[in-house]
Amino acid sequence: MLKSTFAIVLCTILLMSCNKNDQFVKAKTIPTRIDSLTTNAEIEDYIGDSDSMYRKFTLQKVQDIICSGCDTITNLDSLANNLKINFSWQKADLDNNGYTDLLATGRNNTYVKFEDSFIHPQGFNAFILMNFGEGNIKTYDLTDGHFMSLTARIEYDSLQPFVMVYKPRLISKVKRYRHPETKSKLTFKFGNFIEYNPAVKKYDIEKIEYATTGCNGECPVFSIAINKEGNAVFVANYYNYTQPWQKGNLLTGTYKSTVKDDDLEELIDVLNYTDFPNLIDNYSVPWTCDQAGIIKITYDNGKTKTISDYGLQGTYGLRLLHSMFKELRTNQQWKWVSKDAPYNLLMKGE
């Protein structure tokens, strides 16, 4: 009886110790300019100074934003009111690096000149300025950049801050465009915002395949296949430039490489963090003429999971994966092997 009681006490102590080690420990605040901002005018100046794409940005509560092209704007007011989100900005250290970050919503009237035209601002804006210290500020857009509006706020779980993104129900005559009310709990991880996963499963990923389709414009169309050893094939079909805004060299044909260990490890970590087998098979935005990204993962002795994401907006985790595959085209040592570029390598099963 004494041994049994001792064992129970020991297990209890070990469990308490584990829980204590898992507790969030807040970093000590390192004051920067953002900590002293208290008025809308000060914050608007700070946003404009931090990102030239928002030089003429006006803070507004989501209830006050007029966005004629947003399909969900009519349902957004009631959602924000029910959630008591009646503010246009919040501050918190979202990555626990000691520096305070900023969540903001509002209207952007900044037109950025690009060659012979202008980049038009979004009608609805919800974004986060992440503060990495020493003036290093980076903007992370929470919207889809087009038609789906949202409301967001910072919420705390055991002192740890998270960004909660709420999207209203989308009513449409077209069934596939309908969208239920959703809630996403985001954390800053892998250099971006992703749906929080408190219990990550490790899958044995054997092969990763990715392909994009065309769109009504100059979208990069390409395929990439990578096995677990990092051996990779990259097929560049159309509009695969080495620099943003269709600059640099145009890549065409088939290339081979061995993906860098760190990049492969991070790609696998992100896939596991998204819990990819439990994502739905098909995501779609409520508009047409856009690009789709298709991910196929072979794992755990030949199991497969294929995810089609029309519009590249399925989840925040998928958004991150799309950007990672896009970056793989230019951040690896690819060796050109053929001018032939079979369209959609993934679908050909090569």
Side-chain angles (χ1 to χ4, degrees):
M1 181 67 179
L2 182 62
K3 289 183 178 179
S4 176
T5 302
F6 176 76
I8 292 172
V9 171
L10 180 60
C11 288
T12 302
I13 293 172
L14 289 172
L15 285 171
M16 290 176 64
S17 176
C18 290
N19 289 336
K20 185 176 181 181
N21 290 335
D22 291 339
Q23 288 181 352
F24 175 77
V25 179
K26 187 179 184 303
K28 183 179 179 181
T29 300
I30 305 170
T32 60
R33 176 186 169 191
I34 194 172
D35 294 283
S36 65
L37 307 176
T38 58
T39 68
N40 281 14
E42 291 173 339
I43 292 174
E44 288 166 357
D45 287 342
Y46 177 80
I47 291 172
D49 292 343
S50 301
D51 191 330
S52 60
M53 296 291 288
Y54 295 91
R55 283 195 302 265
K56 296 181 179 180
F57 176 77
T58 303
L59 286 165
Q60 287 182 310
K61 297 183 295 183
V62 294
Q63 296 93 327
D64 298 330
I65 299 174
I66 298 174
C67 181
S68 58
C70 295
D71 290 334
T72 55
I73 201 72
T74 54
N75 299 319
L76 185 62
D77 290 1
S78 59
L79 177 60
N81 290 334
N82 290 339
L83 293 167
K84 295 180 172 56
I85 300 178
N86 58 354
F87 44 80
S88 59
W89 57 270
Q90 282 181 294
K91 294 191 287 187
D93 181 2
L94 296 172
D95 58 351
N96 203 36
N97 66 350
Y99 298 104
T100 303
D101 311 302
L102 175 70
L103 166 66
T105 60
R107 178 80 182 180
N108 189 17
N109 293 304
T110 310
Y111 287 79
V112 179
K113 185 171 178 57
F114 175 67
E115 294 184 346
D116 296 328
S117 61
F118 290 89
I119 300 173
H120 294 262
Q122 295 175 197
F124 183 94
N125 297 266
F127 56 84
I128 298 170
L129 293 186
M130 292 298 294
N131 184 357
F132 302 109
E134 299 181 353
N136 183 10
I137 309 295
K138 187 174 180 181
T139 306
Y140 294 85
D141 190 0
L142 295 175
T143 75
D144 60 23
H146 294 284
F147 304 110
M148 291 290 287
S149 48
L150 57 89
T151 188
R153 68 183 176 195
I154 296 169
E155 299 180 14
Y156 291 83
D157 186 349
S158 300
L159 301 180
Q160 183 174 358
F162 293 92
V163 176
M164 300 299 299
V165 175
Y166 300 88
K167 295 182 180 180
R169 181 174 57 135
L170 174 61
I171 302 171
S172 174
K173 293 181 180 180
V174 183
K175 185 176 181 180
R176 69 177 183 274
Y177 292 161
R178 297 172 192 166
H179 196 290
E181 184 177 310
T182 61
K183 176 176 71 174
S184 301
K185 183 178 183 179
L186 305 183
T187 187
F188 192 80
K189 195 173 180 66
F190 308 112
N192 214 312
F193 283 93
I194 189 171
E195 286 83 0
Y196 176 62
N197 185 351
V200 181
K201 297 178 182 179
K202 298 289 186 181
Y203 299 98
D204 181 18
I205 296 177
E206 300 159 7
K207 188 177 182 180
I208 308 166
E209 299 167 87
Y210 182 80
T212 62
T213 65
C215 69
N216 187 19
E218 297 184 357
C219 300
V221 178
F222 65 98
S223 303
I224 293 178
I226 312 169
N227 67 15
K228 64 189 308 178
E229 286 79 28
N231 299 320
V233 176
F234 162 42
V235 176
N237 299 106
Y238 309 108
Y239 308 118
N240 288 277
Y241 289 89
T242 55
Q243 295 178 23
W245 309 110
Q246 311 295 52
K247 302 290 185 180
N249 297 324
L250 176 62
L251 304 176
T252 58
T254 299
Y255 302 76
K256 290 187 177 182
S257 182
T258 300
V259 175
K260 300 171 187 175
D261 290 342
D262 289 346
D263 293 330
L264 180 60
E265 181 180 355
E266 183 175 46
L267 182 59
I268 290 172
D269 286 346
V270 172
L271 282 168
N272 281 323
Y273 197 85
T274 64
D275 196 19
F276 64 86
N278 291 309
L279 295 177
I280 65 175
D281 294 338
N282 293 281
Y283 294 90
S284 180
V285 294
W287 58 81
T288 59
C289 302
D290 209 334
Q291 185 172 43
I294 304 162
I295 304 174
K296 180 180 178 182
I297 305 104
T298 305
Y299 67 103
D300 291 355
N301 295 317
K303 295 180 182 177
T304 60
K305 174 69 173 183
T306 301
I307 304 166
S308 177
D309 186 7
Y310 180 75
L312 312 182
Q313 299 289 333
T315 68
Y316 287 91
L318 286 173
R319 283 168 56 159
L320 173 57
L321 285 166
H322 294 311
S323 66
M324 293 176 73
F325 281 108
K326 190 174 180 180
E327 289 170 1
L328 281 174
R329 300 172 306 151
T330 56
N331 64 10
Q332 304 299 307
Q333 298 299 316
W334 295 105
K335 180 180 179 181
W336 186 85
V337 294
S338 172
K339 66 178 181 179
D340 295 326
Y343 185 72
N344 204 333
L345 180 67
L346 186 157
M347 293 296 101
K348 288 178 173 293
E350 299 182 19

